Amino acid sequence: MKTIILVSCLLCFIGPLASEELPKCFQLLPSPQKLEVKNGTGLYYNELNYIVSVNNSAIPVLGNICASLPHYRKKGKGIFLQLVISANIPESEEGYILELDDQGVHIQARNQKGLFYGCQTLEQLMEDSRDCKVMIPLLKITDYPDIVYRAIHLDLKHHIDSGHYYYTIIDRLAKIKVNAIIIEFEDKLRYRKAPLVGAADAISIEEFAAISRYAQDRNIEISPLVQGLGHASFILKHKEYLSLRDDPDSDWVFDPLNPKTYNLQFALYEDAIAATPCGKYLHVGGDEVGHLGKSELSLKSGKNSFELQMYWLQKVTQFAKEHNRIPIFWDDMVFKLSGLYPTTYNPEISEQQVKELWAKNRPLLEKSLPLFPQECVYMRWNYSNPKLSGDLMAIDWYKEHKLNVMAATAVQGMSSMLPRNHSNFQAIKDFCELTVERKMSGILCTCWDDCSPHFETVWRGLSDFACFSWNYKDVSFETTHALFRHRFYSPEMEPSSFEFQDQLERAVDLWDRTLISEGDRENYHKTFKLIDLPQANKRGEWALKYKEKISLAQNALIQYKLIKTKIAKGLEVALRNRYSLEVFNQINELQVYPSNLLIALERYDNADESGKKEAALHLKKYVNYFDELRKNFEAVYSQTRILGNPEGYLLDSNFHNHLANGTNNTDWMYMYELPMNQKILEWLKVQIINKK
């Protein structure tokens, strides 16, 4: 038996306890499977004074509180914390038993993974003891995950972060027991075997390998996602690769029958594998291919789209197998090409229609079954309604045919600035529940970069994901988000009076559409329609035309002040992650700008002849203030993010109109503010000329 001992002294009496719940000041995230609070005396966080390693056993990476303790070779006097490798614990590699009794604290686990998570739980208990100035009660925790593979998606398609930030992300994920990352490189890896693909500011293979090893020490396995077949614009935009396109006029899809396609894709895979040496998966993409089969080779082959899709999947699966990786494949094309996809996502289709479609088209799936590689993981993604009957039928079809299926939910899809719908709470919760019920192979929480929100905005949703993927319980978003505020910021921010993020979601919903009559911020539109401006000789008509928008803008100003006040109070009491609050504060400053513009325009429109000049000067001053607003916004963002593309960067054709692929600089972040400001300044010149 391997034993590690951490020694402490001085225990304090906390009174009789016998409960399955901790005192309110203690909040564990995720909640453990079983917890018993016992009678007796507890322990303060600062009573540990050193660590003893028996038989030179490895000590797992510790949290901030324990990490500062010295390491001794021999056990001294006092109450101790004992870490033991033992088979007498739950049958889980990540399971552990943590027990605090009158002799000390004991953690048992089957291996280092369990010990690591036991220590992470202890760290949370110690944080609460410190933050609330109370003792940790005597207790016993028996804990293990409901879902073995709990991954989050780090998407770099349209941005790159400062190197230090990846380590921060890993540390935070480890604390909440997320154990995997799927990193979508696209052109943000400095490929050695295909250097043309990597952007000028891409991170080196060696740096990502170091990040991967750092993550492994914290029980986080990083595996790469390199888009293949479809979503290939970051590769096929280069003129050197035009011959590899399925459609010569589109940079979206590879020709699946061109041997050079695989020479290039496999070169990228090999570099991505080298950058993630601790991973076991290779995510190959393969989704949203569209109308496959336009190349000369495909047309001559006589293969249909389904056969071409699965031919490619078989080829990349074989590659993965030869390189000791398990391929993961987005599965939407399987159901699109068999006419079943709408049943998996569209709630407007009736149950009867779903049954009829499956009865009609299921034979096509059965006929094509020999084309499905057995070694592949089929990732069933649904970001809104995973409990739809068509989605359940798809999952069950995989299980019935002994194909490996994983779930994919999302904390961030196409929303600009920040996630919506309580950080997509319900969809995350539902798919975690299904993953547990149907014993799926794991679950991925995607964070799409299409609109490239700052990563600080997704932590609440990732916290929800961590809670439900470790230990599914039917709890509300209010309860879960109070727990998030407690753990992420401080216990003082747990009360609902500090809930600003839902308010900010609603405010950003208005920001999306305030300045436009046609368009949306979820996509980059080269053509859109801004709202009209007042006519000086038609006093009040503009205000009447946009009466509803102005009313919403007035309410937005009230909400802005409430959000600003909550964030300011949060910054006063937060003990952790203050930077996140600073990011949200800047988002709040930006989102209210269009509403203030509307109020200023209303003031001009309603002013009499003598007041027009003053109203116009006020409006011009506010428009000119935007440069300062933008500067402040980007100063905060750039603390962790590299803003803008490097000189000479080649944008792709933007087949899906990704917002963050709209411009090489940061103008896409202010897609409607910038043209509206220009429109107003030009309009003001005309008003001044007319006045003269």
Side-chain angles (χ1 to χ4, degrees):
M1 178 184 296
K2 295 180 180 179
T3 306
I4 304 167
I5 303 172
L6 279 70
V7 182
S8 68
C9 63
L10 184 62
L11 291 172
C12 299
F13 179 73
I14 62 171
L17 287 169
S19 171
E20 293 184 358
E21 294 185 0
L22 284 165
K24 183 69 169 67
C25 54
F26 291 95
Q27 297 289 326
L28 298 177
L29 191 166
S31 61
Q33 298 287 349
K34 184 178 180 182
L35 185 146
E36 305 167 72
V37 178
K38 302 179 180 180
N39 296 328
T41 304
L43 171 71
Y44 276 113
Y45 83 96
N46 59 355
E47 294 177 320
L48 298 172
N49 11 45
Y50 59 92
I51 302 171
V52 174
S53 173
V54 176
N55 299 326
N56 294 318
S57 301
I59 298 173
V61 173
L62 301 169
N64 291 334
I65 297 176
C66 287
S68 61
L69 298 175
H71 295 187
Y72 290 0
R73 289 183 176 274
K74 295 182 180 179
K75 174 184 173 183
K77 296 180 181 179
I79 306 300
F80 58 86
L81 167 63
Q82 181 174 319
L83 307 183
V84 180
I85 298 293
S86 170
N88 298 321
I89 53 116
E91 292 185 6
S92 167
E93 285 194 352
E94 297 173 316
Y96 64 91
I97 295 175
L98 185 156
E99 190 165 8
L100 195 156
D101 59 23
D102 56 4
Q103 295 297 310
V105 182
H106 313 260
I107 298 177
Q108 299 181 66
R110 288 178 177 267
N111 56 30
Q112 289 294 115
K113 294 178 181 180
L115 289 183
F116 175 79
Y117 283 142
C119 288
Q120 291 300 311
T121 296
L122 176 63
E123 181 78 9
Q124 291 189 17
L125 292 168
M126 294 173 74
E127 279 185 351
D128 286 343
S129 172
R130 177 196 63 194
D131 298 348
C132 301
K133 298 178 176 58
V134 295
M135 284 184 291
I136 306 169
L138 302 188
L139 52 76
K140 181 178 181 181
I141 293 174
T142 303
D143 203 11
Y144 51 87
D146 285 340
I147 300 171
V148 173
Y149 187 75
R150 309 173 303 282
I152 71 104
H153 172 228
L154 185 57
D155 185 6
L156 304 183
K157 69 164 63 72
H158 296 311
H159 84 280
I160 199 165
D161 296 302
S162 303
H164 69 89
Y165 192 51
Y166 299 113
Y167 295 92
T168 298
I169 290 171
I170 288 166
D171 286 339
R172 289 182 184 174
L173 292 173
K175 288 187 70 171
I176 57 178
K177 300 182 174 67
V178 169
N179 68 357
I181 295 173
I182 297 289
I183 186 162
E184 184 160 351
F185 283 123
E186 293 231 349
D187 60 1
K188 301 309 185 289
L189 183 65
R190 198 178 306 157
Y191 298 98
R192 289 192 291 246
K193 297 185 176 182
L196 182 64
V197 175
D201 60 348
I203 298 180
S204 72
I205 290 172
E206 292 77 13
E207 175 61 13
F208 265 115
I211 292 169
S212 182
R213 288 188 287 269
Y214 182 89
Q216 185 187 42
D217 289 342
R218 288 148 184 82
N219 197 40
I220 294 176
E221 170 200 306
I222 299 183
S223 297
L225 191 165
V226 179
Q227 286 283 13
L229 198 55
H231 284 275
S233 297
F234 71 103
I235 305 168
L236 299 179
K237 66 184 178 183
H238 297 288
K239 62 182 181 181
E240 290 82 354
Y241 299 134
L242 290 177
S243 64
L244 302 185
R245 294 181 176 187
D246 180 63
D247 180 352
D249 296 327
S250 172
D251 60 14
W252 189 252
V253 182
F254 272 105
D255 180 354
L257 295 184
N258 189 330
K260 293 182 180 179
T261 286
Y262 301 99
N263 294 339
L264 178 56
Q265 287 192 3
F266 293 170
L268 299 176
Y269 290 165
E270 287 170 355
D271 282 347
I273 289 171
T276 57
C278 307
K280 67 178 178 182
Y281 292 105
L282 171 63
H283 202 311
V284 297
D287 61 317
E288 298 180 328
V289 171
H291 302 290
L292 187 62
K294 293 185 177 181
S295 74
E296 184 177 346
L297 290 171
S298 293
L299 291 170
K300 286 181 178 179
S301 73
K303 294 180 182 292
N304 61 36
S305 295
F306 204 129
E307 291 169 332
L308 291 169
Q309 178 89 31
M310 302 311 280
Y311 173 82
W312 169 84
L313 184 59
Q314 289 169 346
K315 294 277 286 187
V316 297
T317 294
Q318 182 61 32
F319 170 90
K321 184 178 178 181
E322 291 170 357
H323 289 76
N324 298 313
R325 294 289 174 116
I326 302 169
I328 299 176
F329 165 64
W330 300 122
D331 77 341
D332 57 300
M333 292 307 299
V334 166
F335 299 104
K336 286 176 181 176
L337 295 171
S338 57
L340 292 167
Y341 188 57
T343 71
T344 68
Y345 75 88
N346 187 353
E348 301 300 319
I349 300 177
S350 70
E351 291 294 313
Q352 183 59 35
Q353 288 175 308
V354 170
K355 291 178 181 178
E356 290 173 356
L357 276 170
W358 272 83
K360 176 183 176 182
N361 294 347
R362 183 183 176 110
L364 176 58
L365 278 180
E366 307 290 349
K367 179 182 177 182
S368 303
L369 191 58
L371 302 178
F372 285 70
Q374 291 290 324
E375 301 89 349
C376 188
V377 174
Y378 296 86
M379 189 158 270
R380 175 81 294 273
W381 56 279
N382 188 306
Y383 305 150
S384 301
N385 299 290
K387 289 190 174 182
L388 290 178
S389 59
D391 197 47
L392 301 182
M393 289 179 180
I395 294 168
D396 291 343
W397 185 85
Y398 286 124
K399 301 287 287 186
E400 178 185 339
H401 293 90
K402 295 182 171 49
L403 293 171
N404 200 345
V405 57
M406 277 191 191
T409 185
V411 67
Q412 163 61 19
M414 288 292 291
S415 298
S416 56
M417 193 66 81
L418 78 171
R420 313 296 166 84
N421 300 318
H422 310 294
S423 299
N424 209 26
F425 173 86
Q426 194 62 48
I428 292 171
K429 176 183 175 183
D430 286 349
F431 223 159
C432 285
E433 182 184 16
L434 286 176
T435 303
V436 175
E437 286 181 351
R438 279 169 161 71
K439 296 181 172 56
M440 299 170 72
S441 301
I443 186 167
L444 171 69
C445 187
T446 57
C447 306
W448 292 106
D449 196 41
D450 302 10
C451 296
S452 205
H454 198 290
F455 203 80
E456 290 299 306
T457 66
V458 304
W459 279 108
R460 187 174 71 167
L462 295 181
S463 173
D464 296 343
F465 172 74
C467 287
F468 292 120
S469 61
W470 180 273
N471 179 12
Y472 178 82
K473 290 183 178 180
D474 186 11
V475 294
S476 67
F477 72 84
E478 292 93 347
T479 298
T480 309
H481 292 167
L483 172 58
F484 164 73
R485 292 191 299 276
H486 178 115
R487 281 263 63 89
F488 194 74
Y489 297 117
S490 74
E492 284 196 58
M493 285 190 66
E494 181 180 331
S496 58
S497 58
F498 282 96
E499 176 49 71
F500 67 85
Q501 200 163 334
D502 286 341
Q503 282 181 280
L504 193 52
E505 283 184 8
R506 293 190 292 271
V508 172
D509 277 342
L510 177 61
W511 167 81
D512 283 341
R513 59 186 187 276
T514 299
L515 297 178
I516 55 173
S517 55
E518 293 180 12
D520 62 73
R521 285 195 200 253
E522 291 188 353
N523 298 280
Y524 188 83
H525 299 283
K526 294 181 180 178
T527 58
F528 52 84
K529 189 172 182 181
L530 295 170
I531 59 172
D532 298 327
L533 296 177
Q535 297 183 46
N537 61 346
K538 295 184 179 180
R539 181 182 174 189
E541 282 194 13
W542 182 91
L544 183 62
K545 178 179 180 179
Y546 293 111
K547 179 180 178 181
E548 183 178 353
K549 278 184 177 287
I550 293 168
S551 176
L552 290 171
Q554 290 168 339
N555 184 63
L557 299 186
I558 297 171
Q559 295 303 313
Y560 159 78
K561 292 176 183 177
L562 292 173
I563 294 166
K564 188 176 180 67
T565 299
K566 289 183 178 183
I567 293 175
K569 289 181 178 178
L571 284 166
E572 291 176 0
V573 302
L575 301 172
R576 297 173 284 277
N577 302 318
R578 291 171 54 83
Y579 175 64
S580 183
L581 294 172
E582 293 170 5
V583 169
F584 283 118
N585 186 56
Q586 289 303 318
I587 291 173
N588 192 39
E589 295 295 330
L590 181 60
Q591 67 83 17
V592 79
Y593 179 80
S595 293
N596 276 324
L597 268 187
L598 254 64
I599 300 303
L601 286 165
E602 180 200 27
R603 176 181 173 183
Y604 176 90
D605 187 53
N606 285 330
D608 59 21
E609 198 65 25
S610 61
K612 291 286 187 188
K613 181 177 180 181
E614 182 182 353
L617 289 173
H618 170 77
L619 180 58
K620 182 178 181 180
K621 183 179 179 180
Y622 190 68
V623 169
N624 288 334
Y625 158 72
F626 185 79
D627 288 342
E628 180 182 346
L629 175 64
R630 177 175 180 171
K631 180 180 178 181
N632 294 338
F633 183 89
E634 295 188 8
V636 172
Y637 263 48
S638 62
Q639 291 180 37
T640 61
R641 173 171 287 205
I642 308 301
L643 296 178
N645 293 322
E647 185 177 353
Y649 185 84
L650 179 65
L651 293 171
D652 62 42
S653 64
N654 215 4
F655 182 74
H656 276 186
N657 297 316
H658 288 174
L659 179 64
N661 186 50
T663 62
N664 270 321
N665 61 8
T666 57
D667 283 357
W668 62 268
M669 300 172 76
Y670 325 100
M671 183 170 64
Y672 300 132
E673 286 83 357
L674 293 175
M676 189 65 179
N677 287 347
Q678 185 64 31
K679 181 177 179 178
I680 289 173
L681 291 175
E682 292 173 358
W683 169 79
L684 283 171
K685 289 179 182 178
V686 174
Q687 305 310 306
I688 292 170
I689 291 172
N690 289 341
K691 287 293 177 186
K692 292 179 179 178

